[in-house]
């Protein structure tokens, strides 16, 4: 599904990602964890085509993404739910979701898709006419995830979807991610909640100062003594 | 003041303000979507006014038909203007990009103004259209029916823009890009295309205004930049990002000009800036700004 092959990413002259490789397979949930400033969001934006790696290659479904504009990648099913949500504050919930289905192919199946999103987040159905600016952080996160689902992703990248949410809501969001995964969507999950992320994921990568520090099956990473003390706080 | 005269001035002011509002909404749309302050906006208005005059003069077409013919062409002009001159700046750093985009539009404004002066399109500089429409009399008040027709068309065009923004996918994307460009990119929006469409629509609104300007008043090559500045004050007065505020600002400036201009035409132009300063002192974010 996704192959990141030895990429280096810079901001101007400053290198932030060093020789990073990772892989997400069909139907997999893969998590990328790391402390603040490790380069997780940078990696995700390189995958989405918003930033371009200076060297290395990113392949999506076997094809290099170097020549594809970000909006083309979305149309191909590579969708990111970004850090900070990046919603449209002046639009209603419904209009925000509608924008998620912007690529032509998904517009045709708008209603069907919106019904599914409302099933995942029943609260959004009640609030569909409400302007997003007046919603709570948790509700906004639901809109952001729902909006990402509207374009029929094959690979969904979630950049810290649980940040700032109360524990009960975090559990709800993780439940929804599992449900999304059951619908043949591959998932790359960026998380601070390392324990929960590794519990849910099949495999995990640990990023440290832009370098890949650990990689392996989630259960193995959860059991690793060094990782436990550094990232899991246990 | 005689009440009848006051009513008359109010009517004239509102009718004048409608055309201002439409052109200002166009400029505001372009700024909101692309972040570019298009200093050539008034120039496209002026140019369209001249073309409307030429079509009317040479082909003998009804001037309103001439507007219907010319204004849509300016959608294409605006679209290509964005593609050819604004988009190439997109890869620059944010602050460099905004400064260079503003300079590019200023350069185009100056070129258009000088070229129009040179071409002079057949002798005298100022062009206007002679069209006779009977004036309606309502008691002691005269209703200038020409301006009424223009006002109705302006209202229809602004309403059409609202409906477009609210009920079409492209319109929704225009709003989305205005509110969160990075978010729109991640939703699969080709934001360059939306920029060009915004330039097209905004320039179309200016061109329609230019056509109406030549019908109910006159256009000359040097009106462009002063008009752009006036629209800018209307936008800031109404509140950045609020179309309703911009429309309100347009009408207020129209009223101010009509009322003050009655006593002293020379002050009619200045009143816009005095009003702007007065309103910003009371409401720093503009009338309906958030
Ligand atoms: N636009 C930018 N320009 C310059 N440096 C940047 C930019 N964005 C991020 N950085 C730097 O790149 C590094 C990685 O940032 P990034 O946002 O990818 O980290 P992250 O792992 O997502 O952190 P967090 O968990 O806080 O979201 C940081 O040192 C950050 O300061
Ligand atoms: Mg981040």
């Amino acid at each position: 599904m996704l192959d990141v092959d030895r990429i280096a990413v810079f901001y101007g002259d400053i290198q932030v990602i060093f020789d990073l490789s990772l892989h997400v397979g069909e139907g997999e949930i893969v998590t990328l964890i790391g402390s603040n400033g490790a380069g997780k969001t940078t990696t995700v934006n390189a995958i989405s085509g918003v930033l371009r790696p200076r060297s290395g290659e990113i392949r999506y479904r076997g094809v290099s993404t170097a020549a594809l504009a970000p909006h083309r990648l979305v149309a191909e099913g590579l969708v990111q739910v970004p850090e900070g949500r990046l919603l449209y504050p002046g639009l209603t919930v419904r209009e925000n979701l509608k924008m998620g289905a912007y690529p032509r192919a998904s517009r045709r199946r708008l209603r069907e898709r919106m019904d599914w999103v409302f099933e995942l987040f029943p609260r959004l159905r009640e609030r569909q006419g409400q302007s997003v600016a007046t919603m709570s952080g948790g509700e906004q996160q639901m809109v952001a995830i729902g909006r990402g689902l509207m374009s029929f992703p094959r690979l969904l990248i979630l950049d810290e979807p649980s940040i700032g949410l109360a524990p009960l809501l975090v559990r709800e969001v993780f439940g929804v991610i599992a449900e999304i995964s059951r619908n043949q969507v591959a998932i790359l999950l960026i998380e601070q909640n390392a324990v929960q992320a590794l519990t849910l994921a099949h495999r995990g990568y640990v990023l440290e100062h832009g370098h890949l520090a650990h990689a392996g099956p989630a259960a193995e990473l959860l059991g690793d003594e060094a990782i436990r003390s550094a990232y899991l706080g246990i | 003041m005689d009440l009848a005269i006051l009513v008359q001035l109010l009517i004239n002011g509102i009718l004048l303000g409608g055309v201002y509002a439409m052109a200002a909404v166009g400029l505001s749309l372009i700024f909101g979507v692309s972040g570019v302050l298009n200093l050539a906006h008034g120039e496209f208005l002026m140019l369209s006014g001249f073309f409307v005059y030429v079509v009317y003069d040479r082909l003998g077409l009804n001037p309103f038909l001439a507007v219907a013919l010319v204004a849509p062409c300016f959608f294409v002009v605006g679209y290509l203007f964005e593609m050819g001159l604004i988009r190439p700046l997109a890869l620059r750093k944010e602050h460099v990009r905004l400064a260079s985009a503003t300079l590019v539009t200023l350069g185009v404004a100056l070129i258009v103004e000088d070229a129009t002066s040179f071409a002079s399109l057949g002798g005298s500089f100022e062009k206007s259209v002679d069209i006779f429409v009977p004036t309606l009399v309502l008691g002691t008040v005269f209703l200038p029916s020409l301006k009424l027709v223009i006002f109705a068309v302006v209202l229809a065009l602004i309403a059409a823009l609202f409906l477009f923004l609210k009920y079409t996918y492209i319109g929704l994307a225009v709003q989305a890009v205005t509110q969160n460009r990075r978010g729109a990119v991640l939703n699969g929006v080709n934001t360059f295309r939306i920029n060009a469409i915004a330039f097209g629509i905004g320039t179309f609104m200016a061109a329609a205004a230019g056509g109406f300007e030549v019908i109910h008043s006159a256009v000359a090559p040097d009106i462009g930049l002063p008009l752009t500045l006036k629209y800018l004050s209307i936008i800031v007065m109404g509140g950045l990002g609020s179309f309703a505020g911009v429309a309100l600002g347009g009408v207020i400036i129209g009223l101010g000009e009509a009322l003050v201009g009655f006593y002293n035409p020379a002050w009619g132009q200045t009143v816009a800036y005095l009003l702007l300063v007065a309103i910003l002192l009371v409401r720093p974010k503009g009338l309906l700004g958030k």
Side-chain angles (χ1 to χ4, degrees):
Chain A
M1 182 67 45
L2 178 76
D3 284 290
V4 173
D5 191 2
R6 308 195 62 177
I7 59 166
V9 186
F10 288 69
Y11 289 109
D13 292 332
I14 302 165
Q15 183 163 10
V16 174
I17 298 297
F18 302 82
D19 200 33
L20 173 69
S21 299
L22 63 83
H23 169 79
V24 180
E26 207 89 35
E28 255 191 324
I29 303 180
V30 172
T31 184
L32 177 63
I33 57 182
S35 48
N36 290 114
K40 305 181 296 293
T41 298
T42 305
T43 304
V44 158
N45 280 333
I47 295 171
S48 285
V50 179
L51 292 170
R52 298 296 179 180
R54 189 164 293 183
S55 63
E57 192 179 54
I58 298 170
R59 283 182 304 275
Y60 171 63
R61 303 176 76 213
V63 179
S64 164
T65 62
L68 291 173
H71 67 269
R72 295 283 316 135
L73 289 169
V74 176
E76 295 294 326
L78 195 167
V79 177
Q80 182 194 153
V81 176
E83 185 177 56
R85 304 175 189 129
L86 308 188
L87 295 172
Y88 312 116
L91 301 186
T92 63
V93 170
R94 194 182 182 78
E95 288 166 334
N96 269 274
L97 293 179
K98 213 176 146 189
M99 274 310 296
Y102 190 78
R104 233 162 251 289
S106 37
R107 281 185 213 180
R108 271 180 250 124
R109 299 166 67 187
L110 180 72
R111 171 148 310 162
E112 161 199 345
R113 206 52 177 185
M114 205 175 283
D115 281 342
W116 184 46
V117 169
F118 286 155
E119 254 169 59
L120 290 175
F121 300 109
R123 188 150 5 160
L124 295 187
R125 192 192 296 274
E126 302 158 22
R127 302 295 180 86
Q128 48 180 300
Q130 188 175 337
S131 138
V132 157
T134 63
M135 302 185 92
S136 75
E139 290 165 343
Q140 290 190 8
Q141 191 58 53
M142 295 176 193
V143 177
I145 297 173
R147 189 180 63 167
L149 291 173
M150 290 298 295
S151 56
F152 294 83
R154 291 187 166 100
L155 170 64
L156 186 67
I157 305 172
L158 298 141
D159 194 350
E160 304 205 22
S162 72
I163 199 161
L165 302 189
L168 207 65
L169 260 179
V170 174
R171 200 170 325 146
E172 183 179 340
V173 165
F174 274 82
V176 166
I177 295 171
E179 174 63 26
I180 296 168
S181 167
R182 279 192 285 277
N183 282 269
Q184 275 78 50
V185 180
I187 286 172
L188 178 59
L189 174 64
I190 316 302
E191 261 302 335
Q192 299 262 349
N193 273 316
V195 178
Q196 265 162 308
L198 285 171
T199 309
L200 178 68
H202 304 114
R203 291 186 304 111
Y205 294 89
V206 181
L207 204 55
E208 260 171 32
H209 305 298
H211 298 269
L212 197 59
H214 309 272
E220 240 167 66
L221 292 177
L222 263 177
D224 188 299
E225 211 41 61
I227 295 175
R228 288 177 79 87
S229 59
Y231 296 98
L232 308 183
I234 36 181
Chain B
M1 189 195 300
D2 191 342
L3 187 67
I5 296 183
L6 180 65
V7 172
Q8 188 71 58
L9 290 176
L10 289 179
I11 291 175
N12 286 351
I14 289 176
L15 297 184
L16 180 67
V19 180
Y20 285 168
M22 178 172 66
V25 163
L27 183 61
S28 167
L29 179 77
I30 292 174
F31 181 75
V33 171
S34 69
V36 173
L37 176 55
N38 180 15
L39 293 178
H41 197 66
E43 242 58 46
F44 290 137
L45 182 155
M46 178 274 293
L47 203 58
S48 158
F50 269 105
F51 282 133
V52 166
Y53 173 79
V54 169
V55 170
Y56 151 83
D57 189 49
R58 302 285 153 82
L59 304 181
L61 228 57
N62 174 302
F64 281 99
L65 261 181
V67 177
L69 215 62
V70 169
C73 299
F74 274 83
F75 175 90
V76 181
V77 170
Y79 195 101
L80 295 177
F81 176 57
E82 194 282 334
M83 266 179 81
L85 294 175
I86 305 295
R87 196 174 304 183
L89 307 171
L91 290 178
R92 310 205 173 185
K93 289 214 166 57
E94 182 78 359
H95 59 286
V96 182
R97 184 174 67 80
L98 291 184
S100 29
T102 309
L103 285 175
V104 165
T105 65
L106 179 63
V108 169
L110 296 176
I111 292 169
V112 170
E113 176 175 339
D114 286 350
T116 317
S117 299
F118 269 125
S120 99
L121 296 154
S124 106
F125 268 178
E126 208 175 81
K127 298 296 177 201
S128 63
V129 161
D130 284 318
I131 170 171
F132 177 76
V133 220
T135 297
L136 304 174
V137 184
L138 220 75
T140 52
V141 175
F142 295 93
L143 289 175
S145 28
L146 190 61
K147 287 186 182 164
L148 273 180
V149 173
I150 290 176
F151 191 71
V153 178
V154 162
L155 280 188
L157 284 175
I158 293 181
L161 177 66
F162 269 98
L163 294 177
F164 166 77
L165 290 176
K166 189 85 191 149
Y167 293 109
T168 68
Y169 240 113
I170 305 277
L172 201 58
V174 167
Q175 292 191 68
V177 172
T178 306
Q179 293 179 23
N180 198 324
R181 169 170 293 270
R182 288 198 300 136
V185 169
L186 294 176
N187 283 162
V189 177
N190 180 351
T191 53
F192 290 122
R193 183 155 167 266
I194 298 297
N195 275 359
I197 289 174
F199 265 84
I201 295 174
T203 307
F204 165 79
M205 309 273 293
F212 297 146
E213 203 71 46
V214 83
I215 291 177
H216 81 74
S217 150
V219 294
D222 61 355
I223 63 168
L225 271 178
L227 277 180
T228 304
L229 292 182
K230 190 183 291 180
Y231 301 144
L232 193 58
S233 352
I234 289 173
I235 293 172
V236 176
M237 178 188 293
L240 271 180
S242 160
F243 283 157
V246 174
L248 186 61
V251 172
I252 287 177
I253 298 280
L255 280 173
E257 279 186 13
L259 290 174
V260 176
F262 175 72
Y263 290 106
N264 185 341
W267 281 84
Q269 297 294 314
T270 319
V271 73
Y273 302 102
L274 294 178
L275 277 171
L276 172 66
V277 172
I279 286 175
L280 288 188
L281 281 176
V282 185
R283 286 190 62 92
K285 289 193 165 172
L287 292 168
L288 302 182
K290 282 160 231 144

